Amino acid sequence: MRSQNRGSLDLRNVHIENQYLKHPEGSVLITVGNTKVICAASIEDRVPPFLRGTGKGWITAEYAMLPRATETRNIRESSKGKVSGRTMEIQRLIGRSLRAVVDLEAIGEKTIWVDCDVIQADGGTRTASITGAFVAVAMALHKISLEKKWTTFPLQDFLAATSVGISQSGEVILDLDYQEDSQAKVDMNVVMIGNGEFVELQGTGEEATFSTSQLQEMLDAATQGIKQLIEIQRTALGEVATLIDQVVKKQS
Amino acid sequence: MRSQNRGSLDLRNVHIENQYLKHPEGSVLITVGNTKVICAASIEDRVPPFLRGTGKGWITAEYAMLPRATETRNIRESSKGKVSGRTMEIQRLIGRSLRAVVDLEAIGEKTIWVDCDVIQADGGTRTASITGAFVAVAMALHKISLEKKWTTFPLQDFLAATSVGISQSGEVILDLDYQEDSQAKVDMNVVMIGNGEFVELQGTGEEATFSTSQLQEMLDAATQGIKQLIEIQRTALGEVATLIDQVVKKQS
Amino acid sequence: MRSQNRGSLDLRNVHIENQYLKHPEGSVLITVGNTKVICAASIEDRVPPFLRGTGKGWITAEYAMLPRATETRNIRESSKGKVSGRTMEIQRLIGRSLRAVVDLEAIGEKTIWVDCDVIQADGGTRTASITGAFVAVAMALHKISLEKKWTTFPLQDFLAATSVGISQSGEVILDLDYQEDSQAKVDMNVVMIGNGEFVELQGTGEEATFSTSQLQEMLDAATQGIKQLIEIQRTALGEVATLIDQVVKKQS
Amino acid sequence: MRSQNRGSLDLRNVHIENQYLKHPEGSVLITVGNTKVICAASIEDRVPPFLRGTGKGWITAEYAMLPRATETRNIRESSKGKVSGRTMEIQRLIGRSLRAVVDLEAIGEKTIWVDCDVIQADGGTRTASITGAFVAVAMALHKISLEKKWTTFPLQDFLAATSVGISQSGEVILDLDYQEDSQAKVDMNVVMIGNGEFVELQGTGEEATFSTSQLQEMLDAATQGIKQLIEIQRTALGEVATLIDQVVKKQS
Amino acid sequence: MRSQNRGSLDLRNVHIENQYLKHPEGSVLITVGNTKVICAASIEDRVPPFLRGTGKGWITAEYAMLPRATETRNIRESSKGKVSGRTMEIQRLIGRSLRAVVDLEAIGEKTIWVDCDVIQADGGTRTASITGAFVAVAMALHKISLEKKWTTFPLQDFLAATSVGISQSGEVILDLDYQEDSQAKVDMNVVMIGNGEFVELQGTGEEATFSTSQLQEMLDAATQGIKQLIEIQRTALGEVATLIDQVVKKQS
Amino acid sequence: MRSQNRGSLDLRNVHIENQYLKHPEGSVLITVGNTKVICAASIEDRVPPFLRGTGKGWITAEYAMLPRATETRNIRESSKGKVSGRTMEIQRLIGRSLRAVVDLEAIGEKTIWVDCDVIQADGGTRTASITGAFVAVAMALHKISLEKKWTTFPLQDFLAATSVGISQSGEVILDLDYQEDSQAKVDMNVVMIGNGEFVELQGTGEEATFSTSQLQEMLDAATQGIKQLIEIQRTALGEVATLIDQVVKKQS
């Protein structure tokens, strides 16, 4: 039996508390089961060197865990003096995912900094970060859009992420908690937009492999999970969700 | 007029949410006005090299801010690859302060790791960290004391901290918020135990000086502020506060 | 038209020079079009701390580029004092992939170090590294197996990798060179074993998305490309290939 | 009995050798008992970014020990690749202290670099550094003042520092040597200007506390010690001391 | 007997494969016995700060070994996060040597980056690097000279390097391989130009010394070895060698 | 004319103040013209890993400059977080030189740490460091030899170093000061033992070359300079010099 009595294709309880912090342009506390992540979006009025003069903006993400977000205490990366490979992989994933839906030309030469800080970890921190960060970024874009009087909201669609895997017993399971993740034969992170297309797909068999039909089954599970996550984002965003819906409608 | 309509010798609103996180042995979210700090205490079953074989324990503290805890975004210390002088100064202060009240011989060869992570900053983050960390450490010690069946609780007294300063107009003010702090002529951090004795006193005139009588006035303000903070700790600690009171009584 | 007059689903010319260096237990120079990578496998008689005493071995990979492997010179990571996120991502991928086919229990407490050094880069360096590293590791395992007189060769199957993507014009293309890769809408790396199952799947739309049917088309292209790569590995390995075939037969 | 037969409120022998080095604008070798520090002041014609365009100058201090300044050899901070928390704390203290008496507006956009290098350590190295650095800075300011033909000398008062503490036996002692410092229950560093006002007060009970009356007794001891140190600075400065006296007179 | 049946004053087999890589302006693979080094020369259109505005160019060299260039695997300097003293010493030597023959005024404000990457090591890697790098630099200069239509080729003479030493038995030996080098009493690296004058001489007795007459004998051996190396460079350079000969003739 | 009216083959004024510091086993302040270096020798009762269990000792040297030892202030290597190539080169040279005369077998598994800290720099800091460090090491060895009751003193000969060069006008000059060094065409450092044999020879033509006869002339100049330096060492060492003379006599 899975934690919280859920079935193999059920998400954990998800909650997004919008406008969680005072200073950032957008910020949320996202809770996915026992996983809790603070996602903050900050707008900076300049871009990295490779974009200067192009009129195009950028999104960059950073990810970290509090030392005691986990069962046993982790050494801070600032104390170690370097960022781990795992952290780099995750922050690159978050940044790439968000860049798929933000209209970087529209925002002009600005950088959106996304900070995902895991307060409590129980599996799925990278996908929770993406799901939460989307809301923070949308709020931050809304804040500038009020000043800029843009005619089109610069977000092309909703974006959310979840994990899916194959358990030791060979069953496809959705939204793995830490214990499930550490025992799974295959682990896959799926990032998807509102129209059901993929942004990222990262499937890994650690000392194991998976077939085409297993892949299909996992993708189906992820797709329905992400649909539910987007509904939760919609609620958290309130009116701002409507702005995104308008953009989606206009495109189709 | 000060923020929240308070008088020159008033504390801001203070709240301590105990048992804030799932994993650490002790953890709180302390709120002092708009300043919010997560303090977690972790117990590790070994000590730094200089204490091995002495039978004595240790407390070490780490302090950090989320990048967007502040008005403008700060670069992460993990990205910079080194911890700033300010951070080091603060974490050494937190560690030293707590060591004044924990009975390090009694806990044996264990290290208590104290992590203070500032979620939102508005002045007084180091003193809020000390006040909050005390509660987290007390909870963690209580947790081990249950296993160890100690006859005496290894905390010798309450411990809390606040800041006090002299404003541009020459007035002594208690518990400075960020704006007050950045304009003050003199800034002093005071760490005190339940019996009113000092653990740490750090007074600084940045491009200014202060007299003996001003010092006395600041210490009086700090003393009454700390008494109030200890009452708030007492409430947050519940029954664990009684254990500390018993130790204090036994000593006198 | 693609470089070397190839069709959209053709691999570039691939060559594996086995036993390229004098010192390593296994080493190859793999050439994929203009991409050239030296892959070396070294055996060390100990394992990382988390495996000590378990009787199980480990594989760890490192990846680097010569500064002038690329069109314009890159700063050395040793000069920068840190390894980039991209490098970390790649070396973690190479290590994980190889661990899927090496029988880590069978080799005992040994670490296989895999060094992939890109001499010349023209796209697909990470997948060329995996395809070449597999041969180097097989040779190194063969070298120890002669001393150890193992009854079963500790490689469970062949393993190779390639990239596949969707071009600006929406066409699925196999084995992207640098120019194709930098213009592609979607880029996917596929790592597969001899029996056609996946080890890793990493699909990314940088500022773009892809549908389920596009995914299927890309996977089909990758599958047939990897079959060809395994035939080239087989030739390079000579007699050692037979040992792998025997293991595969025994399993089925 | 204390070293050198001194009473509890006596300073050790103090000597300041002015113009110790050839290159710096100001430099001294200060000797306090067995503690010896070279203090050099260098003038640089630019300021840190946060002051550019403000017309205001800056003072920044660095502190280090030779590896064998101490009883047992210390590893160099350059070899360790990072500066310790203790060093950072000390250099921040030295810089802040000097900024309290130098008229940063008057000097214009210049940085005064203060380097305090401990040649031999026997307690009180940070306070000796401040006392010596004041003389080096005064000499350097004198050197520029000759070129600039300033009408007012940009030093507002004398500045010196000493330590004071409470011994194991509960006695207040002035100017602790290394052995006294390592056994003291309370240790306090006091930085004061010529008119008797405080610039910095850092009192610390390591695993101990102190009362208001003990604080007062320590401050009295420090005050009379600092008066003596200022007389020694006056002698070392010769005519330059007169320039400071004139400024002090004009203010009152 | 020495490896490859050579006499005490014989070089090992030396081969220089010119235009080894596709991207760099000049590149070679130099083989000296079992030592193999890839040398690449890159031209960058700017100079370090200390040369800006002087109209003068610069040459800077970097040196590294693949981890498994050696008998046992070396940890990458990028993983260690710092470059070793040995590496720094070697890259400074290569840079200084090349600067002796390149006309830095003539090339204008350009930097020539020289990358020497040891693929396989068996002694003499630093001297092989210099000998190979000279050819790569000559090719790169030739490439720009075609664009620039310089009347004089900006290389003043040939440049090559070898090692010489005194064996345990007291014999002078030329071009030491790894085993000879690790047992030699004295080890000397000699860098020389075509006219027989020295550019660098670095003689070291590790736990041993050498006399003036031994020095003379070693220098004679090195001189004749370097003459042979220059002939091999000449062959590799083809027509470009003629350009250097013309410059040498014009000078005399 | 050279500084201090000296002829082209004259040393500057040299003075060695023995037993300069209180804590180290051996320490001197060596003055060579305006160059001043503190050399300290510390004995540690263990050796680096590669010597453990061999019964043999080790000498390792570190070199640094105070930031304002030079005309303009240098950034501390501890602030930069890494040691420069120049520093590494120098400290390797000092260590190697001293290892040529210390009987590492005789001292057993001890490390002699040599710290050379340049207080004031005016050219020749590395050779002054070697000449001074020899005296500090001799004193430190004498100190242990008293405890150990060794029958033979573990120093095989005197050791000193100087620089020699070729000026712009083509003249051979001895013991170059900073200005001479920065203008010289050729610069050579020579380390020699008491019997006139070489330990190290490092000759460099920065953008210049030198002939065999110029080399000979430079070596002659260095030889007579070093003889004088050894006499100055002898005076500084007092009775300890006699112990070295006895060892030299016994060997011949």
Side-chain angles (χ1 to χ4, degrees), chain A residues 119-160:
Chain A
I119 298 297
Q120 193 167 278
D122 187 27
T125 62
R126 77 186 71 187
T127 51
S129 293
I130 292 168
T131 305
F134 174 79
V135 175
V137 167
M139 293 307 290
L141 288 174
H142 177 56
K143 195 163 182 183
I144 349 173
S145 79
L146 294 178
E147 299 161 21
K148 296 278 170 184
K149 303 183 181 171
W150 285 325
T151 49
T152 310
F153 191 62
L155 256 179
Q156 289 151 346
D157 205 339
F158 285 87
L159 175 98

Side-chain angles (χ1 to χ4, degrees), chain F residues 154-175:
Chain F
L155 256 179
Q156 286 151 349
D157 206 337
F158 285 87
L159 175 99
T162 194
S163 73
V164 67
I166 300 176
S167 71
Q168 278 298 331
S169 65
E171 194 181 23
V172 167
I173 46 178
L174 178 67
D175 188 17

Side-chain angles (χ1 to χ4, degrees), chain D residues 20 36 119-120, chain F residues 17-22 27-29 38:
Chain D
Y20 182 66
K36 294 182 184 195
I119 297 299
Q120 193 167 279
Chain F
E17 181 176 345
N18 199 352
Q19 293 177 302
Y20 182 66
L21 296 176
K22 184 190 169 191
S27 64
V28 310
L29 172 66
I38 298 177

Side-chain angles (χ1 to χ4, degrees), chain C residues 188-220:
Chain C
M188 179 170 280
N189 293 298
V190 181
V191 187
M192 198 172 254
I193 61 172
N195 74 0
E197 294 214 332
F198 300 107
V199 171
E200 279 277 340
L201 212 63
Q202 296 197 340
T204 292
E206 175 87 36
E207 304 175 29
T209 57
F210 54 100
S211 66
T212 305
S213 66
Q214 285 174 315
L215 171 64
Q216 196 51 56
E217 211 182 323
M218 289 190 282
L219 295 179
D220 291 347

Side-chain angles (χ1 to χ4, degrees), chain A residues 89 92 197-198 200 209-210, chain C residues 89 92 197-198 209-210:
Chain A
E89 217 172 272
R92 285 160 61 90
E197 295 216 330
F198 300 107
E200 279 275 341
T209 58
F210 54 100
Chain C
E89 214 171 274
R92 285 160 60 91
E197 294 214 332
F198 300 107
T209 57
F210 54 100

